[in-house]
Amino acid sequence: MGRCCFYAAGTLSLLLLVTSVTLLVARVFQKAVDQTIEKNIVLRNGSETFDSWKHPPLPVYTQFYFFNVTNPEEILRGEIPRLEEVGPYTYREIRNKGDIQFGDNGTTISAVSNKAYVFVRNQSVGDPKIDLIRTLNIPAVTAMEWTHQRFLREIIEALLKTYQQKVFVTHTVDDLLWGYKDEILSLIHTFKPEISPYFGLYYGKNGTNDGDYVFLTGEDNYLNFSKIVEWNGKTTLDWWTTDRCNMINGTDGDTFHPLITKDEVLYVFPSDFCRSVYITFSDFESVEGMPAFRYTVPEEILANTSDNAGFCIPPGNCLGSGVLNVSVCKNGAPIILSFPHFYQADEKFVSAIEGMHPNKDNHETFVDINPLTGVILRAAKRFQINVYVEKLDDFIETGNIRTMVFPVMHVNESVLIDKETASRLKSVINTTLIVTNIPYIVMALGVFFGLVFTWLACRGQRSGDESQGTADERAPLIRT
């Protein structure tokens, strides 16, 4: 009986160890998990993935921070602007996909991305309908820029002189965000109906969408999950000067494909940036006990390099690293985008304004993604809206103002997975972890039976020695 157990333990140990190594080398269970995920993470009507894409479960909060101008008269005399940050004014962002239609063979799907904003008082510094902010008169500054168009030049010059527009104005936060009827724009609207009489930094963005999208469902390839192939009827943009800069790449930033590796470069098309951007792996993170890859926007995105020369408008007119002139897609308004407080921008932009304090913790854009499922666990999209200003001899309103990129407001759009969604996702991750670890479990059993085999071998050897010793003791001292 002992000898049978001895051989059984040895044989079983060998079989289990060989089996475990074979499973590990062939990646049998890992491939099975991957194939299951690839099959399920598809935009298919009625699926859980489709429902989450249509109605994103994660709570999104948008915080607006304004720069209040404290020395307007001194600025017009040529002194450095002194700005005071006021905020946050926090809004809960409600997102969903609408007007959904599936394309042929289920490989494409068209939709619009609806957004609405609901004010959250207990996460804000004040009441946006009451709090006042002194800032640039963006409609007036924009109108001055429009004077480069021969048709409007004389009209706008006459309007600005007649109505004595000032470079700095005071409005409520609510007006600056969601819009107010501007005197100059209303008059220009009479001559150019396509120009709205209303102005607001987020005017027309509450309860609306940013255009028609066509996405890939991931049916043909999981790497194509939720990738954008068309926006507003176009497969490429037409604002920039090179084909590369005009490409529409990646997803809308709400979702990513599953089975992400840290060597991947992920692309995103945020329409408010008027261009595609890419994010790269930065670090390993843990969110609600789940593993995550942290991806960040690299400094090269807004660097003054040959790769970005196509974003310089007009051609060759590059402002420097860390800023992007988007006037070409903002109806000619001299809007310049950057990261908050000119984070990752040239020092000249920071030193030109008193009150800029760029730092990574508060101003970096990042996204923490679970690599197995591609689900966003935590993210912060941060950017700043600036206006290009300069002294214009034809407009005495500009005084002796310095030529600069003038900060108006910065935005922090953040998301953190809620505990209920995290619990469901963690269950999926733990299940796949158990399945993919089966070869190691088999190996552990092989090692266990190997130890049993070794113990039985040692025990048998010891028993043999003891038996031999007993026989010798019973033998007569003198043999005949």
Side-chain angles (χ1 to χ4, degrees):
M1 181 67 180
R3 188 171 293 274
C4 289
C5 292
F6 172 73
Y7 286 117
T11 303
L12 189 56
S13 173
L14 182 62
L15 285 174
L16 289 172
L17 289 173
V18 171
T19 301
S20 65
V21 172
T22 303
L23 291 173
L24 283 172
V25 172
R27 300 180 71 248
V28 174
F29 289 97
Q30 185 64 58
K31 288 180 179 179
V33 168
D34 291 352
Q35 289 172 0
T36 301
I37 291 175
E38 291 172 15
K39 183 178 178 181
N40 289 327
I41 306 296
V42 175
L43 294 177
R44 193 179 294 118
N45 197 6
S47 68
E48 185 176 347
T49 299
F50 174 77
D51 292 339
S52 295
W53 174 81
K54 183 179 178 181
H55 299 287
L58 304 187
V60 180
Y61 291 91
T62 301
Q63 297 174 310
F64 299 100
Y65 297 83
F66 289 85
F67 292 108
N68 188 56
V69 179
T70 63
N71 62 333
E73 299 301 324
E74 291 83 351
I75 295 172
L76 294 177
R77 291 199 296 266
E79 296 184 19
I80 292 178
R82 291 197 304 271
L83 305 184
E84 178 187 45
E85 183 179 283
V86 181
Y89 293 91
T90 304
Y91 290 77
R92 171 72 188 270
E93 195 174 317
I94 310 299
R95 299 184 177 190
N96 65 78
K97 298 289 194 298
D99 300 337
I100 298 172
Q101 291 185 342
F102 282 90
D104 296 335
N105 302 321
T107 58
T108 61
I109 183 172
S110 61
V112 296
S113 297
N114 298 313
K115 291 184 181 180
Y117 297 85
V118 180
F119 181 62
V120 183
R121 181 63 183 88
N122 63 358
Q123 296 184 31
S124 304
V125 296
D127 188 340
K129 293 184 180 297
I130 297 175
D131 295 357
L132 297 173
I133 300 292
R134 183 193 289 119
T135 188
L136 277 174
N137 187 348
I138 298 178
V141 173
T142 301
M144 293 175 191
E145 285 293 320
W146 285 340
T147 59
H148 295 120
Q149 303 175 31
R150 186 175 302 175
F151 171 74
L152 287 174
R153 182 178 181 85
E154 294 182 359
I155 295 174
I156 292 175
E157 284 182 351
L159 290 174
L160 289 173
K161 289 177 181 178
T162 302
Y163 290 93
Q164 298 180 344
Q165 292 289 303
K166 295 182 178 180
V167 174
F168 296 101
V169 292
T170 301
H171 287 285
T172 66
V173 168
D174 192 77
D175 283 348
L176 289 172
L177 272 179
W178 310 116
Y180 60 91
K181 192 168 186 179
D182 181 75
E183 193 173 44
I184 292 295
L185 293 181
S186 296
L187 293 169
I188 295 175
H189 175 74
T190 305
F191 301 97
K192 293 199 73 174
E194 66 270 23
I195 295 176
S196 173
Y198 292 89
F199 169 78
L201 294 168
Y202 267 54
Y203 174 70
K205 293 185 178 182
N206 194 355
T208 59
N209 62 75
D210 60 345
D212 300 317
Y213 287 87
V214 176
F215 302 91
L216 293 175
T217 61
E219 187 72 54
D220 58 339
N221 190 324
Y222 78 96
L223 292 173
N224 291 331
F225 174 70
S226 72
K227 274 189 177 180
I228 301 168
V229 292
E230 194 175 294
W231 179 60
N232 282 338
K234 298 178 180 179
T235 56
T236 61
L237 306 173
D238 55 12
W239 294 315
W240 312 111
T241 60
T242 65
D243 291 340
R244 177 177 177 175
C245 293
N246 278 318
M247 293 177 69
I248 298 176
N249 292 325
T251 72
D252 61 0
D254 286 347
T255 51
F256 294 94
H257 70 76
L259 306 177
I260 294 172
T261 66
K262 66 184 182 66
D263 297 323
E264 281 188 76
V265 174
L266 303 178
Y267 286 85
V268 179
F269 174 67
S271 63
D272 47 7
F273 240 63
C274 305
R275 57 162 291 187
S276 298
V277 300
Y278 61 86
I279 53 178
T280 56
F281 174 81
S282 172
D283 204 354
F284 296 99
E285 295 286 338
S286 178
V287 182
E288 295 292 339
M290 292 175 288
F293 288 171
R294 170 157 292 189
Y295 275 77
T296 58
V297 179
E299 193 171 345
E300 293 78 21
I301 283 291
L302 296 180
N304 190 11
T305 62
S306 57
D307 289 341
N308 290 329
F311 294 115
C312 298
I313 301 294
N317 184 26
C318 302
L319 297 175
S321 293
V323 297
L324 177 68
N325 183 352
V326 293
S327 58
V328 68
C329 61
K330 301 296 182 182
N331 208 13
I335 302 297
I336 311 295
L337 295 182
S338 70
F339 295 119
H341 287 249
F342 296 117
Y343 173 69
Q344 293 184 337
D346 289 340
E347 175 60 28
K348 65 180 181 180
F349 298 112
V350 179
S351 59
I353 308 291
E354 188 177 318
M356 297 293 99
H357 307 288
N359 69 81
K360 179 178 179 179
D361 291 340
N362 295 328
H363 304 142
E364 181 182 54
T365 291
F366 70 87
V367 56
D368 294 338
I369 310 171
N370 176 253
L372 179 69
T373 61
V375 172
I376 296 174
L377 305 181
R378 178 173 56 198
K381 173 186 171 184
R382 295 158 171 166
F383 64 95
Q384 181 169 295
I385 298 174
N386 313 278
V387 176
Y388 184 81
V389 296
E390 59 183 338
K391 177 184 177 180
L392 297 173
D393 293 334
D394 291 337
F395 298 99
I396 60 172
E397 294 87 356
T398 59
N400 290 313
I401 195 169
R402 299 184 181 194
T403 299
M404 70 186 95
V405 177
F406 201 103
V408 175
M409 175 186 77
H410 73 86
V411 182
N412 178 25
E413 191 176 281
S414 62
V415 61
L416 176 63
I417 191 169
D418 60 278
K419 293 191 180 299
E420 182 182 349
T421 306
S423 178
R424 293 200 305 269
L425 184 59
K426 195 179 296 184
S427 175
V428 172
I429 294 172
N430 289 340
T431 301
T432 58
L433 191 62
I434 292 172
V435 173
T436 55
N437 280 331
I438 286 177
Y440 295 102
I441 297 172
V442 173
M443 182 179 289
L445 289 172
V447 170
F448 171 74
F449 282 107
L451 293 172
V452 172
F453 171 77
T454 303
W455 178 75
L456 289 173
C458 293
R459 184 169 177 268
Q461 181 65 36
R462 189 167 57 252
S463 298
D465 292 343
E466 290 176 355
S467 298
Q468 183 65 37
T470 302
D472 290 342
E473 290 172 358
R474 290 176 180 174
L477 293 175
I478 300 174
R479 291 184 173 87
T480 58

